[in-house]
Each structure stands twice: as C-alpha cells, then as structure tokens.
Amino acid sequence: MADTTPDVETDKCNDLLESLRRGRPAAGQDPVKRSQIIDGARRVFIDKGFEAASMNDITREAGVSKGTIYVYFANKEELFEALIEEERGTIFKNMYDILDRADDLRQTLVKFGTVLSMKITSARVIQAQRTVIGASDRIPDMGARFYERGPKRGHDKFMKFLNAAIERGLLKIDDVDLAAYQFTELCLAGLFRQCIFAYRTKAPSQEEIDNIVRSGVDMFLKSYGTEQLAEEESHQMIALEAKA
C-alpha cells in the first residue's frame, strides 16, 4: 500500500503560496501582527522585567490569542531577543556612518563619541541593558548573543576605523582592540555606571557629554596621535586663523 503521509514541508510551502495568492500573509509572516506582539512585549518587559513577565501577560497586553503569539515566537526568550534586536536597530541605526566621513580625525572622534555617549546613557538603552543583565544570570547564552550582535559588532567597526587612521599615519597603536575599548570608556567616563545603577535619574545633559567626550578625545589623541596628525592639525589651525 502506498504511503499517504503528507510532506510537511511541501504543505507549508503550499500554504505560503496560497496565502500570497490571496493577498494576505501566511501564519507567522504578518509584519503588522508581529509588531503588535513586540510592542505588547516591550510594555510588559519594561513594567515587570524579564523574569516576572509571562507569555500570558504579553498575550493580554498585545491583544492577541495565545495560539497567535506562539505562531510567531516559540517562547519568551525568543520574543525578548526579537525585541532587543528591533530596539538596537532603531536606536543605533546609521550611527557608525559617522566613521565613514573621516576627513578630520579629531572632529570625527568627537562626533562619534558624542552620539555614542548620548545613546548609551539614554533612558531607553539603560532600561534595555538592565533587563538583559537580569536575564543573563539565568540565560547566559542570551547575554552572550546580545553582546555579540550589538556591542561587539560596534567595537569591530570602530577598530576598523582606527586601523584606517593608523594606515594614514595619524595614529600609532600597538593594541587596537584595547584602544577601541579605552576610547569608549573615555567618552562615558563616570556616566554609564551612574545611569545603570540609577544614581542618576535623568540622562546627562548635552553640555556634560560634550565636555566629557572632548576631554576623552584629547587624552586619546595625546596617547596615540602621531607627529603627522599634530602637523595636520597645526596647518588646519593656521588656515582657520587666516580666514578669521
């Protein structure tokens, strides 16, 4: 007797094609519904934290059925990671484009450091990082993925920028990996820990960030800047004075 067991993968493909023909998304493919679920999850995670939040809470807040939420996300961890990815994409979008316009090294570092400091100390990012830290104690793999997909990617992009400046003869750095971390710490000097531990109840002012970042860039370039950089900056200063 012939085997009549349906091919599951073929059925899924057929369902998807049929849904597309009818002009509606297949199960788990509707971006509006997915966004609705993530928005509900965001409110629940902010209110209760990762540990206390439940899929039932998210279902109620998002206004969807339990069956619907599991079509999109297998569990709370997967939903939380999707939320973090969306937040990261929204908050840090195009931030590293600043490093592509590197005609003036000092000004590029100041602009990048200012944007970096403002974003990392914003209430939205601080809240997200607190939630990730709390969840990472129970699910360390999730914390590792968060670091790999976010801070580590940004770190690697900044290292690439520093290596380009080294090739141009503007910087002399033996350990670029360490220098990239040092730059971040200089631009956040005293700010991040005060924010993450709620010592500060408000984000730093623009004036305070400007002061910290410019001081940090000065220290960074005093340590790693070359004579060629000093000469270029001297010529720039003379040119500006001549125009004044």
Side-chain angles (χ1 to χ4, degrees):
M1 182 176 179
D3 185 2
T4 58
T5 302
D7 186 328
V8 176
E9 291 302 320
T10 299
D11 286 350
K12 286 182 178 179
C13 290
N14 289 339
D15 288 345
L16 176 57
L17 289 171
E18 180 61 25
S19 295
L20 291 173
R21 280 194 289 268
R22 293 178 180 177
R24 62 180 176 80
Q29 302 296 320
D30 185 348
V32 175
K33 184 65 67 176
R34 187 178 188 275
S35 179
Q36 180 182 340
I37 294 169
I38 288 179
D39 286 343
R42 180 184 293 106
R43 293 189 292 271
V44 172
F45 284 130
I46 289 175
D47 182 49
K48 296 189 174 185
F50 178 81
E51 287 291 339
S54 71
M55 290 295 265
N56 285 335
D57 295 329
I58 296 168
T59 295
R60 287 192 296 271
E61 186 65 30
V64 299
S65 68
K66 185 175 289 188
T68 296
I69 203 169
Y70 282 111
V71 167
Y72 287 83
F73 303 100
N75 49 48
K76 184 173 70 170
E77 289 79 6
E78 186 177 300
L79 175 51
F80 181 69
E81 289 195 54
L83 169 61
I84 292 299
E85 283 298 310
E86 183 174 290
E87 290 285 287
R88 181 185 294 122
T90 300
I91 296 169
F92 293 98
K93 182 179 180 181
N94 301 327
M95 187 179 82
Y96 292 93
D97 290 353
I98 295 171
L99 301 178
D100 295 335
R101 301 184 292 274
D103 295 334
D104 186 317
L105 178 60
R106 182 181 296 272
Q107 288 307 310
T108 299
L109 288 174
V110 168
K111 289 177 183 177
F112 177 70
T114 299
V115 173
L116 179 72
S117 184
M118 288 178 64
K119 288 183 180 293
I120 290 180
T121 59
S122 68
R124 190 173 177 181
V125 173
I126 289 295
Q127 181 62 53
Q129 294 199 68
R130 285 175 183 157
T131 305
V132 171
I133 291 169
S136 297
D137 187 47
R138 189 171 70 85
I139 315 172
D141 286 349
M142 185 171 68
R145 286 192 296 272
F146 170 83
Y147 182 78
E148 283 286 342
R149 295 171 183 174
K152 182 63 167 60
R153 285 182 183 176
H155 178 77
D156 290 345
K157 289 178 181 179
F158 187 60
M159 282 179 60
K160 182 178 179 181
F161 169 81
L162 293 180
N163 279 318
I166 292 170
E167 291 177 3
R168 290 165 58 196
L170 303 179
L171 296 176
K172 185 179 185 303
I173 304 174
D174 294 326
D175 189 336
V176 178
D177 183 53
L178 174 60
Y181 283 120
Q182 289 172 334
F183 180 81
T184 300
E185 294 297 324
L186 286 170
C187 292
L188 291 166
L191 298 180
F192 179 71
R193 289 189 180 185
Q194 291 179 9
C195 291
I196 203 75
F197 293 118
Y199 180 78
R200 287 174 176 263
T201 57
K202 295 181 180 179
S205 68
Q206 181 69 59
E207 182 180 2
E208 185 175 11
I209 288 176
D210 286 346
N211 181 52
I212 289 173
V213 170
R214 289 186 181 280
S215 176
V217 170
D218 283 344
M219 292 183 67
F220 188 81
L221 293 181
K222 283 178 181 177
S223 294
Y224 296 121
T226 62
E227 290 185 6
Q228 180 179 327
L229 174 64
E231 289 177 4
E232 287 189 10
E233 291 191 332
S234 177
H235 292 155
Q236 290 171 358
M237 184 63 69
I238 292 172
L240 288 174
E241 289 176 350
K243 289 181 180 180

